[in-house]
Amino acid sequence: MSEPYTPHKYQEDGIAFLLERGCAGLFLHPGLGKTSTTLATFHILKQQGLADSMLVLAPLRVCYTTWVSEPKKWDFSSDYSIGILHGPNKNDVLREQHDIYVLNYDGLAWFVENMPKCFDSHMLVMDESTKLKHANTQRFKTLKKVLNKFRRRYILTGTPAPNGLMDLFGQVYAMDLGATFGPYITHFRNKYFTPSGFNGYEWKPKPDAGERIFEALAPRVLTMKTEDYLELPELVETTVEVELPPKARAIYTQMEEQFLLSFKAGDVVASNSAVASMKCRQICGGSVYGEDRATHVVHSAKLDALEDLIEELSGQPALVAYEFEHELLEIKKRFPDAPHIGGTKGSVSNAELPALIAKWCRGEIPMLLANPASLAHGVDGLQGAGRAVIWYTPTWNLEYREQYIRRIWRQGQKERVFVYNIVASKTVDEVVMSAIASKDKTQTGLMNALRDYWKK
């Protein structure tokens, strides 16, 4: 059942911002209504004859959830025809007339090859635009070929620079075709960064890079942080330290020092430091993949800590983040009734998700397991009952981390939210937590600078 759309003042500002610009970005934290703001903008443009239809690029789960359900909520968009360009019927859908077309980023190559000429009058929305942060990917290069076909281009994200300022170039180029930072990433790097690290393969921002980047970007981007516009309950972070048992510690130390593990069933080899880091993280979680993809269990310290937390929560719904499939399998052995979202066998499908969320909101699911890559975007409603987020495995990805936590800590949440980080003491887990904190400073700096620009 649709309802009248009454935007908040900050949403009205967002609509006006987009209407005034043919290319723009909304850097809005989850819960501030990026989708409805964009829908309202499209509705006005459609009424004025300035946009026939809208093409939305989004992660697959967001395609099937957010961009299907959100238009149905509001009276002005409830009768919009929505065509999902995915699955066996996508060619038929593309030939049909729809108000909104929704396409997964991974379907870009197919779309560009089959794109009708009439799409040159359409509005392009790039939701979760960090999918375009790397300008050297095939995804970006494919989209670049047709960007000029769209009269209006908008990017939407709550975490524009999850791994640093370099992440901005690809997204911003897709929005403005190089008007802000120029047409080439090499020029962007040389202007704002200096080579550093091993053989100069890393790029460090120049001392004034942040300020100059913010100044160049601000006129085309509107940024809003949840805490500036909504009264959210307190977010409390807690570190739950676990000690690796002596045998696991010895194995972990050997991996750190020699990049080699010897198990009875065979060797687990780390060919370089990146692989070794991943192996070390797996050991921290309790098990590790061998060269034959067999799983070797080395300890249960984190499983024990997770069980203690679940007992302390006494049935209060907890959202648990895991990273590796073998972690999921071990957790499921101890908690066989816990559903999971993660693209693996037995995962909750897109079609089953609404029923799962309804059960969660009724307090019938004490634990929901979800891989951050699968849950970070496009799942709303978990704030209805959840109060706890548990990180079984700390993630390097700041975007996933922020988006994951904000599945619970967002508009509609009435209670204090607790985030529990299960960290193996004196291991790479602590390095990951430190790296996330460092990236967060860059992310926060970007959001604050843009916010302050518009306050002035």
Side-chain angles (χ1 to χ4, degrees), residues 53 55 85 90-97 101 110-122 146 149-150:
S53 61
L55 174 66
L85 299 173
K90 60 185 178 182
N91 287 292
D92 295 333
V93 173
L94 186 58
R95 288 192 293 267
E96 298 166 354
Q97 184 62 45
Y101 296 86
W110 164 83
F111 176 78
V112 170
E113 184 177 344
N114 295 276
M115 181 180 180
K117 293 181 179 180
C118 62
F119 265 81
D120 63 1
S121 64
H122 288 202
V146 296
K149 299 286 187 181
F150 299 90

Side-chain angles (χ1 to χ4, degrees), residues 103-215:
L103 174 68
N104 178 22
Y105 280 101
D106 292 334
L108 272 169
W110 164 83
F111 176 78
V112 170
E113 184 177 344
N114 295 276
M115 181 180 180
K117 293 181 179 180
C118 62
F119 265 81
D120 63 1
S121 64
H122 288 202
M123 168 176 155
L124 175 64
V125 174
M126 293 158 278
D127 197 3
E128 307 304 347
S129 58
T130 49
K131 294 290 184 181
L132 300 168
K133 64 187 178 185
H134 296 307
N136 61 344
T137 61
Q138 193 59 46
R139 173 188 297 161
F140 176 87
K141 293 175 182 177
T142 300
L143 179 61
K144 184 178 179 180
K145 297 176 183 177
V146 296
L147 284 172
N148 61 359
K149 299 286 187 181
F150 299 90
R151 296 180 182 178
R152 287 177 175 264
R153 296 176 302 275
Y154 301 127
I155 57 174
L156 313 178
T157 181
T159 49
N163 296 302
L165 297 171
M166 193 69 76
D167 288 349
L168 290 168
F169 178 82
Q171 302 172 73
V172 175
Y173 181 93
M175 173 187 72
D176 66 11
L177 304 184
T180 299
F181 295 137
Y184 305 110
I185 191 170
T186 51
H187 296 174
F188 177 68
R189 281 199 301 250
N190 292 334
K191 185 174 183 178
Y192 297 110
F193 300 83
T194 55
S196 64
F198 181 72
N199 283 346
Y201 288 125
E202 297 178 6
W203 293 86
K204 180 180 179 181
K206 294 179 179 179
D208 61 344
E211 182 179 348
R212 290 192 293 137
I213 287 174
F214 303 150
E215 183 178 354

Side-chain angles (χ1 to χ4, degrees), residues 366-437:
M367 177 194 292
L368 175 60
L369 301 164
N371 186 287
S374 298
L375 192 77
H377 305 299
V379 178
D380 192 12
L382 298 181
Q383 71 272 30
R387 307 286 182 272
V389 177
I390 301 174
W391 288 91
Y392 188 85
T393 310
T395 178
W396 288 103
N397 192 309
L398 174 64
E399 178 184 10
Y400 286 170
R401 180 177 173 84
E402 286 197 348
Q403 295 276 1
Y404 197 96
I405 292 172
R406 288 181 185 275
R407 298 306 99 195
I408 300 292
W409 191 56
R410 64 188 298 153
Q411 188 172 12
Q413 179 60 263
K414 305 299 183 184
E415 305 292 335
R416 179 184 300 173
V417 173
F418 291 87
V419 177
Y420 301 94
N421 302 292
I422 304 179
V423 174
S425 179
K426 299 180 179 64
T427 69
V428 69
D429 276 1
E430 294 181 343
V431 178
V432 172
M433 295 302 297
S434 176
I436 282 293

Side-chain angles (χ1 to χ4, degrees), residues 176 211 244 259 404 435 441 446:
D176 66 11
E211 182 179 348
L244 294 182
F259 301 163
Y404 197 96
K441 292 175 184 177
L446 173 65

